[in-house]
């Protein structure tokens, strides 16, 4: 790990070739790629059995209801997001018909403990500098980040919230992760057409704690020409010096990224590991890469067949406790359902 110190704050190296600072809204510097990073790959066009058209940030959602505060929201933990189905663009993020109650131009910095941010449109980033903050039903064009300076501000709860490209930008040019970095829960979150999804990091910094990412959806993509110019090596979920993570019941589609690393990438880079269960993964060099820390349970994960360049998994079995129910499948991304199991993954 490389730490670059500047007056008044710390830049925490991501250990990646885009070297996006953990505590800034966007990268403006680059560092060499770490060991273990895959070379650039070209994504494989999905077959008819696994294909679905790219979903817009305003995709339709299940029926809505009116909460006490008058904002429109959807019933949660029901419908298309629940097993045996998997998260889709329609059952994550803000609900159909959503309109913000407030628009913040630029960054929103939260400094009061216990603050609830709800039904807002933030055109920059949300920078969390207080404990026990909750973010609900909010759309963000930048990043939601609770690693500010040299401290983690948790526990941060994020629900029914999405990070999407700004209007007129089909694929976001922001190289920073969408959500991060420690001591947070992200539930029914959505990432659309972004290079980086979730960061699990800064485990050695004050305030760090476990991360929970569940019932969430990501469609990852890279702007045209960026793979040749800067080769960002994106991830759906990346661990870098990260605390224990629970990664449960998510759909991460990286088929739109021509120079990816992995939908889930927790390498041997000072990561604690965690549990990885019931996720659907597509694309990447390898779809699932686990080698850093301890993984007591890796079960029920479905890899979309022939979607990853080098193979479905790259795991260190000596670090995995229970391995079962992992398989290659064909998958309907619109409905969030497995069409067919094509191969059991009995590697561990």
């Amino acid at each position: 790990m490389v730490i670059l110190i500047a007056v008044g704050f710390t830049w925490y190296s991501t250990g990646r070739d885009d070297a996006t600072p953990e505590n800034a809204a966007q990268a403006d510097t680059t560092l060499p790629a770490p060991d273990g990073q895959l070379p650039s790959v070209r994504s494989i066009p999905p077959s008819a059995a696994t294909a679905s058209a790219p979903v817009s940030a305003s995709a339709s959602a299940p029926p809505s209801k009116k909460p006490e505060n008058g904002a429109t929201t959807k019933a949660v933990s029901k419908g298309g997001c629940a097993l045996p189905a998997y998260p889709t663009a329609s059952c994550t993020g803000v609900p159909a018909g959503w309109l913000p109650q407030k628009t913040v131009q630029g960054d929103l910095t939260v400094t009061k403990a216990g603050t609830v941010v709800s039904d807002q449109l933030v055109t920059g980033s949300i920078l969390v500098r207080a404990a026990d903050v909750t973010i609900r039903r909010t759309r963000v064009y930048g990043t939601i980040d609770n690693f500010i300076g040299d401290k983690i501000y948790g526990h941060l709860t994020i629900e029914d919230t999405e990070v999407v490209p700004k209007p007129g930008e089909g694929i976001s040019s922001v190289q920073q992760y969408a959500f991060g970095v420690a001591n947070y829960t992200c539930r029914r979150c959505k990432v659309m057409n972004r290079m980086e999804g979730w960061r699990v990091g800064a485990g050695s910094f004050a305030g760090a704690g476990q991360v929970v990412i569940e019932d969430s959806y990501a469609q990852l993509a890279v702007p045209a020409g960026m793979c040749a110019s800067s080769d960002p090596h994106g991830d759906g979920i990346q661990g870098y010096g990260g605390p224990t993570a629970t990664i449960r019941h998510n759909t991460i589609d990286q088929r739109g990224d021509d120079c990816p690393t992995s939908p889930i990438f927790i390498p041997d880079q000072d990561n604690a590991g965690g549990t990885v269960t019931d996720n659907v993964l597509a694309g990447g060099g390898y779809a699932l890469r686990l080698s850093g820390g301890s993984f007591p349970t890796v079960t029920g994960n479905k890899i979309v067949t022939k979607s990853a360049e080098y193979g479905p998994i790259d795991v260190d079995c000596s670090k995995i406790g229970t391995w079962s129910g992992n398989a290659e499948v064909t998958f309907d991304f619109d409905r969030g359902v497995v069409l067919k199991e094509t191969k059991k993954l009995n590697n561990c």
Side-chain angles (χ1 to χ4, degrees), residues 89-115:
S90 297
C91 65
T92 53
V94 300
W98 175 88
L99 292 173
Q101 293 183 348
K102 179 180 180 181
T103 296
V104 177
Q105 299 292 341
D107 294 343
L108 171 63
T109 301
V110 182
T111 58
K112 183 179 178 180
T115 295

Side-chain angles (χ1 to χ4, degrees), residues 196-270:
E196 294 279 346
W198 292 263
R199 180 61 46 84
V200 181
S204 63
F205 285 77
Q210 72 170 340
V211 170
V212 177
I213 302 166
E214 61 184 0
D215 302 329
S216 295
Y217 175 89
Q219 177 180 290
L220 304 173
V222 172
M226 183 169 282
C227 287
S229 63
S230 62
D231 203 6
H233 278 359
D235 302 285
I237 299 172
Q238 184 199 7
Y240 185 74
T244 300
T246 297
I247 302 171
R248 175 173 55 222
H249 191 233
N250 305 289
T251 301
I252 304 177
D253 180 5
Q254 201 175 17
R255 294 172 300 163
D257 184 342
D258 285 345
C259 49
T261 301
S262 295
I264 297 179
F265 181 43
I266 304 180
D268 189 11
Q269 293 175 342
D270 298 318

Side-chain angles (χ1 to χ4, degrees), residues 5-344:
I5 300 176
V7 176
F9 61 93
T10 302
W11 280 6
Y12 179 67
S13 169
T14 61
R16 301 171 49 80
D17 60 347
D18 56 33
T20 315
E22 299 276 20
N23 63 337
Q26 282 186 263
D28 61 1
T29 185
T30 56
L31 293 175
D35 292 340
Q37 195 72 275
L38 291 171
S40 300
V41 298
R42 296 198 60 80
S43 58
I44 302 172
S47 68
T50 61
S52 64
V55 184
S56 71
S58 58
S60 61
S64 302
K65 64 179 182 180
K66 291 277 188 178
E68 293 78 4
N69 64 2
T72 302
T73 186
K74 63 177 178 288
V76 297
S77 299
K78 296 180 181 179
C81 273
L83 282 169
Y86 296 86
T88 67
S90 297
C91 65
T92 53
V94 300
W98 175 88
L99 292 173
Q101 293 183 348
K102 179 180 180 181
T103 296
V104 177
Q105 299 292 341
D107 294 343
L108 171 63
T109 301
V110 182
T111 58
K112 183 179 178 180
T115 295
V116 177
V117 177
S118 64
D119 296 286
Q120 296 197 25
L121 169 62
V122 179
T123 66
S125 295
I126 299 180
L127 306 175
V128 177
R129 300 183 66 105
D132 301 314
V133 171
T134 299
I135 302 170
R136 294 194 181 108
R137 298 184 307 275
T138 290
R139 176 175 292 162
V140 177
Y141 299 151
T143 289
I144 297 178
D145 199 345
N146 70 341
F147 182 31
I148 311 298
D150 59 355
K151 182 178 178 179
I152 295 289
Y153 293 86
H155 181 272
L156 170 63
T157 300
I158 311 166
E159 296 179 329
D160 304 298
T161 289
E162 60 188 40
V163 175
V164 301
K166 60 187 177 183
E169 186 178 45
I171 298 175
S172 176
S173 60
V174 177
Q175 295 188 43
Q176 179 79 334
Y177 47 80
F179 299 96
V181 300
N183 201 354
Y184 71 91
T185 295
C186 209
R187 184 178 296 121
R188 295 180 303 278
C189 298
K190 178 163 73 175
V191 180
M192 293 298 299
N193 292 333
R194 184 84 167 226
M195 286 170 267
E196 294 279 346
W198 292 263
R199 180 61 46 84
V200 181
S204 63
F205 285 77
Q210 72 170 340
V211 170
V212 177
I213 302 166
E214 61 184 0
D215 302 329
S216 295
Y217 175 89
Q219 177 180 290
L220 304 173
V222 172
M226 183 169 282
C227 287
S229 63
S230 62
D231 203 6
H233 278 359
D235 302 285
I237 299 172
Q238 184 199 7
Y240 185 74
T244 300
T246 297
I247 302 171
R248 175 173 55 222
H249 191 233
N250 305 289
T251 301
I252 304 177
D253 180 5
Q254 201 175 17
R255 294 172 300 163
D257 184 342
D258 285 345
C259 49
T261 301
S262 295
I264 297 179
F265 181 43
I266 304 180
D268 189 11
Q269 293 175 342
D270 298 318
N271 288 301
T275 62
V276 183
T277 58
D278 296 320
N279 302 285
V280 170
L281 309 175
Y286 292 93
L288 179 62
R289 298 185 73 190
L290 304 175
S291 60
S294 174
F295 300 92
T297 305
V298 181
T299 60
N301 299 290
K302 310 303 181 185
I303 313 298
V304 175
T305 188
K306 297 182 180 179
S307 65
E309 181 76 2
Y310 303 118
I313 62 172
D314 175 24
V315 300
D316 184 344
C317 292
S318 69
K319 298 180 178 179
I320 295 174
T322 300
W323 173 282
S324 67
N326 304 298
E328 291 187 71
V329 301
T330 55
F331 188 70
D332 185 327
F333 285 88
D334 291 329
R335 294 187 296 138
V337 296
V338 171
L339 301 175
K340 181 181 179 182
E341 182 177 299
T342 60
K343 181 181 178 181
K344 294 185 182 300

